[in-house]
């Protein structure tokens, strides 16, 4: 039985150590093939053997580890969950800040430079400070204790453990001093209630800012979800009724009024209108639709009324697939994250050891017997350390980078593809539909005098009507425009990939295709025909040859214009230092003519579909990292062989599934954008990892040296996580 995949929503994670603990715990379960936990998205992607265990077993294991798991989408939408969590955080922070403010004022009494302040005596009362600090410590700070207990119960340690130890040390030492002062007026009280209270307050502020920033980083998903209409007008038993989008079923007849969004994917059955598909293709010009044309959900109908038959609903629609791909990309891990995962797994125990060593060193060696000072320095070490920033460094950048890419119509199927794309130094472009528009038009028919032109072209039209090749469609359409209808009957038909077709029409055997096809069957071309073919190909035409009963009969010229943006995009790719190669099954003369128009010097022509993958391997053998760009169907072997496969598509299932990256807008300009975004994302990740590591490498020794008050260390720790998220959000400002 094939492995199943599922995504769980995880609550209760506070730092990278939590994510590492869940991932390790799930990976060790029998039947789990892989587990990937994303701290930023608060999700776990599990691949498991359904014959060995059920999703309920996985969720139970998450609960045993001290967290809570739910099936993604079973409760509130992610946006609603985030809004609810932010509201709770705001309330906790406000209460904590109000209770901590008097303690902040009282803290001034610790500093000589503030001796001029005339603070009221009651503010120094130990019992007042105890009454203010206690609710902050045990009510507002309760989640830290709960998280620490769960972590320790699971035989691991996380950020909650550091916070609980640090704040508890300050609180209980102050409590001891408070109790010791009872009945002893000579006892000098040294209180650190403000240390524990302010630490918790600053940590809550940091978490609040982090949550708000995370909300911004996931706006791509929210924007995509917002595109979907909420209701549809369905015609059942001749009666129109408004239903929710979830109630629309495949096969339903749906009425779409002018100005309405198309509710689901389907086929037009009646009416005509112009549909704005810019959300999908990026093209601002509306596309004319009539019976038989496809419609894509969430696109906008123009000023005509349409009736459609629903073909794909729910999770099967193009929009749903796009959302799924973006979610998976944002929730996946890039290989570079392994560095952070390894460090996070051992970080907290090491920090606790450093804090203990700091206390012992100061108490027994540097300032013997100075318990309060040694304790304060140990607390500062505990709270300055921050595995959170390290754990957020990679996923927030992946989330922001892939989200921005989705807004530009570029779908990365995973973080590993986003990372690998930055190494690309060679781009292999398929010609038809990639460099060119993929909509060839018939430009000329040249029939030999020995044959009846009308009869021959009727035969050619009949044979090509049975083919789905773009050139065949162009020939049939062009002949019909000239008033030549295909012959009524095709007795036999066979397509030969890379060569053309063989057919039998009204008793005559017909060959339509390349020179190689005619050569295989012994057909010879007269000199005059060869000269005409060469001239047409040098002008950029693709020439299709026809032979009847083994004799060359005609040359049919078809031209496919290059896309308006191709030349500019190729220039950008070259400007990035990339080697650009065009590959095609077309003949060398036509290929060279098209390549020249696009500004491409290197051309691989007359390459059969199975040969494209071999050409990719040849480039890789030269040490190049190759991106193959094709249509996602015919070029599948080459797309799979390349280091990165990019499918030029308009949102079709095959285009989305065929490659590592889907360029939804079908525009060559998306290729440099995808590669540039990958480069910028990798730079951003490396910057985040550097500063997260540097922060701890610098901050911990400073705290151990006694140069940081614990509350300052807590503020710095909280802001370090926020700074990493804000750094990642710079990717969302990327402009074309």
């Amino acid at each position: 039985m094939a492995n199943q995949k599922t995504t769980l929503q995880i609550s209760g994670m506070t730092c990278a150590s939590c994510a590492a603990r869940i991932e390790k715990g799930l990976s060790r379960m029998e039947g789990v093939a892989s587990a990937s936990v994303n701290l930023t998205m608060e999700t776990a992607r599990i691949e498991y053997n359904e014959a060995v265990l059920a999703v309920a077993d996985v969720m139970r294991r998450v609960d045993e580890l001290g967290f809570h798991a739910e099936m993604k989408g079973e409760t509130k939408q992610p946006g609603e969950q985030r809004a609810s969590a932010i509201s709770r955080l705001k309330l906790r922070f406000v209460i904590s800040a109000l209770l901590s403010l008097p303690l902040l004022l009282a803290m001034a009494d610790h500093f000589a430079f503030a001796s001029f302040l005339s603070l009221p005596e009651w503010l120094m009362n130990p019992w007042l400070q105890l009454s203010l600090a206690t609710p902050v410590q045990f009510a507002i700070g309760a989640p830290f204790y709960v998280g620490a207990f769960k972590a320790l119960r699971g035989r691991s340690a996380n950020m909650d453990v550091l916070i609980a130890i640090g704040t508890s040390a300050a609180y209980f030492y102050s409590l001891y001093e408070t109790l010791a002062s009872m009945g002893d007026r000579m006892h000098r009280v040294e209180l650190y209630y403000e240390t524990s209270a302010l630490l918790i307050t600053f940590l809550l502020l940091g978490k609040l800012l982090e949550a708000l920033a995370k909300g911004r980083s996931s706006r791509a998903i929210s924007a995509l979800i917002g595109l979907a209409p909420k209701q549809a007008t369905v015609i059942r038993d001749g009666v129109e009724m408004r239903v929710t989008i979830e109630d629309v079923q495949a096969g339903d007849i749906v009425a779409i009024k002018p100005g309405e969004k198309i509710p689901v994917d389907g086929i037009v059955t009646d009416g005509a209108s112009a549909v704005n598909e810019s959300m999908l293709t990026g093209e601002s010009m509306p596309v004319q639709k009539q019976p038989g044309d496809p419609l894509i959900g969430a696109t906008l109908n123009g000023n005509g009324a349409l009736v459609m038959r629903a073909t794909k609903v729910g999770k099967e629609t193009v929009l749903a697939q796009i959302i799924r791909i973006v979610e998976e990309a944002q929730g996946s891990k890039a290989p570079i994250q392994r560095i952070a995962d390894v460090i996070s797994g051992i970080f907290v125990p090491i920090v606790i050891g450093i804090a203990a060593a700091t206390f012992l060193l100061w108490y027994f060696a540097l300032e013997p017997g100075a318990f309060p000072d040694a304790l304060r320095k140990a607390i500062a070490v505990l709270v300055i350390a921050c595995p959170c920033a390290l754990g957020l460094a990679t996923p927030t950048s992946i989330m922001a980078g892939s989200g921005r890419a989705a807004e530009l119509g570029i779908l990365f199927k995973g973080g590993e593809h986003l990372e690998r794309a930055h190494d690309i130094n060679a781009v292999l472009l398929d010609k038809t539909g990639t460099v060119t528009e993929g909509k060839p038009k018939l430009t000329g028919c040249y029939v030999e005098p020995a044959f009846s032109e009308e009869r021959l072209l009727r035969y050619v039209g009949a044979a090509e009507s049975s083919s789905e090749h773009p050139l065949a469609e162009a020939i049939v359409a062009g002949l019909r425009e000239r008033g030549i209808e295909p012959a009524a009957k095709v007795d036999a038909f066979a397509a030969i990939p890379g060569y053309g077709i063989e057919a039998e029409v009204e008793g005559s055997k017909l060959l339509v295709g390349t020179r190689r096809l005619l050569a295989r069957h012994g057909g010879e071309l007269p000199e005059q025909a060869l000269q005409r073919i060469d001239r047409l190909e040098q002008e950029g035409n693709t020439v299709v040859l026809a032979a009847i009963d083994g004799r060359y009969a005609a040359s049919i010229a078809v031209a496919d214009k290059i896309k308006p943006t191709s030349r500019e995009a190729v220039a950008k790719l070259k400007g990035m230092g990339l080697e650009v190669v065009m590959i095609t099954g077309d003949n060398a003369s036509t290929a060279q003519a098209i390549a020249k128009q696009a500004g491409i010097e290197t051309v691989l022509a007359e390459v059969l579909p199975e040969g494209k993958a071999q050409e990719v391997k040849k480039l890789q053998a030269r040490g190049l990292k190759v991106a193959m760009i094709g249509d996602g169907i015919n070029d599948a072997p080459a797309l799979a062989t390349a280091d990165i496969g990019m499918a030029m598509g308009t949102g079709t299932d095959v285009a989305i599934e065929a490659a590592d990256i889907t360029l939804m807008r079908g525009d060559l300009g998306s290729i440099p954008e995808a590669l540039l975004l990958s480069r910028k994302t990798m730079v951003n990740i490396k910057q985040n990892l550097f500063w997260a590591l540097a922060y701890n490498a610098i901050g911990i020794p400073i705290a151990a040296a006694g140069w940081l008050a614990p509350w300052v260390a807590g503020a710095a720790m909280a802001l370090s996580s926020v700074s990493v998220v804000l750094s990642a959000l710079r990717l969302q400002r990327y402009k074309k």
Side-chain angles (χ1 to χ4, degrees):
M1 181 181 291
N3 287 342
Q4 301 294 316
K5 294 181 180 180
T6 190
T7 301
L8 301 177
Q9 198 74 44
I10 308 293
S11 57
M13 292 191 293
T14 57
C15 70
S17 299
C18 299
R21 181 152 57 97
I22 297 172
E23 196 168 285
K24 189 181 295 183
L26 295 180
S27 298
R28 289 174 177 172
M29 292 182 71
E30 184 181 357
V32 173
S34 66
S36 177
V37 179
N38 188 296
L39 174 64
T40 309
M41 295 285 288
E42 297 182 336
T43 58
R45 294 174 60 199
I46 318 295
E47 184 178 348
Y48 65 99
N49 188 333
E50 203 171 24
V52 178
L53 81 166
V55 176
D57 300 322
V58 178
M59 295 170 67
R60 194 178 304 113
R61 178 59 179 149
V62 174
D63 289 341
E64 290 171 359
L65 291 169
F67 305 90
H68 182 63
E70 293 175 336
M71 289 297 294
K72 190 170 174 62
E74 275 192 356
T75 55
K76 297 178 181 178
Q77 290 294 326
E80 296 176 5
Q81 289 180 325
R82 185 174 291 109
S84 177
I86 289 174
S87 295
R88 291 194 299 272
L89 263 176
K90 281 181 180 177
L91 181 62
R92 288 174 62 201
F93 168 70
V94 169
I95 295 173
S96 184
L98 290 174
L99 292 172
S100 301
L101 184 60
L103 296 173
L104 178 64
L105 295 174
M107 185 179 64
D109 190 53
H110 289 286
F111 302 108
F113 67 80
S115 58
F116 66 91
L117 293 175
S118 179
L119 297 172
E121 187 64 28
W122 58 267
L123 204 58
M124 306 303 162
N125 187 297
W127 299 100
L128 172 67
Q129 293 190 21
L130 174 64
S131 65
L132 292 171
T134 299
V136 175
Q137 184 71 33
F138 297 109
I140 303 298
F144 297 121
Y145 281 104
V146 173
F149 171 74
K150 289 180 177 179
L152 294 173
R153 187 182 64 182
R155 298 179 183 178
S156 66
N158 62 1
M159 195 64 206
D160 288 334
V161 173
L162 297 182
I163 295 168
I165 292 174
T167 58
S168 296
Y171 176 86
F172 284 109
Y173 176 74
S174 300
L175 178 61
Y176 165 79
E177 288 286 288
T178 300
L179 295 174
S181 69
M182 292 178 62
D184 185 359
R185 294 184 177 180
M186 300 301 294
H187 182 80
R188 186 176 182 275
V189 181
E190 289 191 42
L191 304 179
Y192 298 97
Y193 288 121
E194 78 283 348
T195 296
S196 62
L198 286 172
L199 273 176
I200 291 172
T201 301
F202 278 120
L203 289 169
L204 289 175
L205 176 60
K207 283 184 173 291
L208 178 59
L209 294 174
E210 184 183 316
L212 291 170
K214 282 182 183 178
R216 286 177 56 200
S217 68
S218 63
R219 70 182 185 186
I221 292 290
S222 302
L224 286 170
I225 293 173
L227 290 173
K230 306 301 181 188
Q231 292 186 316
T233 303
V234 176
I235 303 173
R236 292 175 181 164
D237 298 324
V239 179
E240 283 193 8
M241 59 184 73
R242 292 288 286 177
V243 299
T244 62
I245 202 71
E246 292 80 12
D247 290 331
V248 180
Q249 301 175 5
D252 274 345
I253 301 300
V254 182
I256 305 145
K257 296 177 181 178
E260 283 189 338
K261 283 186 176 181
I262 311 297
V264 294
D265 296 358
I267 301 292
V268 177
T269 59
D270 190 27
S273 183
V275 176
N276 185 338
E277 296 182 341
S278 59
M279 56 76 65
L280 190 70
T281 65
E283 293 290 341
S284 57
M285 291 296 292
V287 180
Q288 292 296 324
K289 299 291 183 178
Q290 56 189 10
D293 289 339
L295 292 173
I296 299 170
T299 55
L300 185 64
N301 186 25
N303 55 8
L306 293 172
V307 178
M308 65 175 278
R309 176 173 52 83
T311 56
K312 293 180 181 178
V313 298
K315 295 180 179 179
E316 301 300 316
T317 64
V318 168
L319 180 63
Q321 290 182 63
I322 293 172
I323 291 172
R324 174 179 58 79
I325 288 174
V326 176
E327 284 182 331
E328 288 180 358
Q330 293 190 338
S332 65
K333 286 189 177 183
I336 195 173
Q337 192 170 341
R338 286 194 295 264
I339 300 170
D341 289 345
V342 171
I343 297 173
S344 298
I346 58 174
F347 187 87
V348 174
I350 290 174
V351 170
I352 292 174
I354 294 173
T358 299
F359 174 82
L360 295 173
L361 184 64
W362 281 94
Y363 184 72
F364 289 106
L366 299 178
E367 292 182 359
F371 183 85
D373 286 342
L375 179 64
R376 188 165 59 246
K377 293 173 177 64
I379 292 172
V381 170
L382 287 172
V383 298
I384 192 69
C386 183
C388 300
L390 193 62
L392 291 169
T394 299
T396 48
S397 295
I398 293 290
M399 194 172 177
S402 59
R404 180 60 183 142
E407 292 173 350
L408 296 174
I410 302 165
L411 302 184
F412 287 90
K413 292 183 70 175
E416 65 274 20
H417 307 309
L418 185 59
E419 176 176 341
R420 204 162 60 238
H422 91 287
D423 285 327
I424 294 299
N425 47 27
V427 175
L428 193 57
L429 301 171
D430 178 49
K431 178 177 76 72
T432 305
T434 303
V435 176
T436 65
E437 292 180 345
K439 297 177 181 177
K441 291 186 177 181
L442 181 67
T443 58
C445 298
Y446 307 91
V447 180
E448 292 298 306
F451 298 90
S452 167
E453 180 173 340
E454 183 176 353
R455 175 172 170 265
L456 178 68
L457 295 179
R458 285 180 61 248
Y459 285 6
V460 170
E464 295 285 44
S465 294
S466 301
S467 174
E468 295 181 354
H469 196 282
L471 293 181
E473 294 176 1
I475 290 171
V476 174
L479 291 176
R480 281 184 168 146
E481 286 177 5
R482 298 179 181 208
I484 300 173
E485 286 295 325
K489 186 179 181 182
V490 178
D491 299 313
F493 175 86
I496 308 170
Y499 289 88
I501 60 173
E502 296 181 21
E504 187 172 327
V505 184
E506 295 182 357
S508 297
K509 291 184 179 179
L510 197 68
L511 298 175
V512 184
T514 63
R515 296 190 199 187
R516 289 173 301 190
L517 178 65
L518 267 65
R520 282 177 58 172
H521 291 79
E524 294 184 4
L525 299 175
E527 185 63 29
Q528 185 178 356
L530 285 171
Q531 292 176 0
R532 183 192 304 117
I533 293 167
D534 289 341
R535 176 177 55 79
L536 290 169
E537 289 175 347
Q538 289 170 8
E539 292 172 357
N541 292 282
T542 297
V543 181
V544 177
L545 307 180
I548 190 165
D549 295 327
R551 294 172 58 199
Y552 166 74
S555 302
I556 301 169
V558 180
D560 187 8
K561 294 181 180 179
I562 71 165
K563 294 177 180 177
T565 56
S566 290
R567 189 172 185 85
E568 181 184 353
V570 168
K572 280 186 179 180
L573 291 170
K574 289 180 177 179
M576 293 167 61
L578 303 173
E579 182 174 334
V580 182
V581 180
M582 191 180 82
I583 188 167
T584 179
D586 213 338
N587 65 81
S589 297
T590 302
Q592 288 289 353
I594 295 295
K596 185 176 181 181
Q597 293 176 44
I600 302 172
E601 287 83 26
T602 308
V603 179
L604 302 173
E606 300 182 23
V607 181
L608 298 176
E610 59 269 22
K612 292 183 179 180
Q614 295 301 320
E615 295 296 339
V616 170
K617 290 179 181 178
K618 288 179 183 177
L619 290 172
Q620 291 171 330
R622 290 170 46 199
L624 297 172
K625 297 292 185 182
V626 182
M628 171 67 194
I629 295 87
D631 62 11
I633 305 172
N634 298 332
D635 301 308
L639 289 169
T641 305
D643 297 280
I644 287 290
M646 297 188 190
M648 305 288 286
T650 55
T652 61
D653 295 348
V654 177
I656 290 176
E657 295 298 333
D660 306 317
I661 303 171
T662 301
L663 308 177
M664 299 299 295
R665 298 183 176 179
D667 186 344
L668 267 187
S670 296
I671 301 170
E673 298 299 336
L675 299 179
L676 281 170
L677 260 172
S678 172
R679 292 181 181 183
K680 288 183 177 294
T681 301
M682 289 309 300
V683 168
N684 191 269
I685 288 173
K686 290 173 182 177
Q687 288 174 343
N688 287 350
L689 286 172
F690 171 80
W691 288 114
L693 290 168
Y695 163 83
N696 286 289
I698 297 170
I700 291 175
I702 290 175
W707 296 335
L708 279 181
W711 69 272
V712 175
M717 189 276 280
L719 291 175
S720 69
S721 296
V722 177
S723 66
V724 165
V725 177
L726 293 177
S727 172
L729 287 177
R730 290 181 299 156
L731 291 167
Q732 292 192 333
R733 296 200 301 269
Y734 173 82
K735 294 182 180 180
K736 295 176 67 174

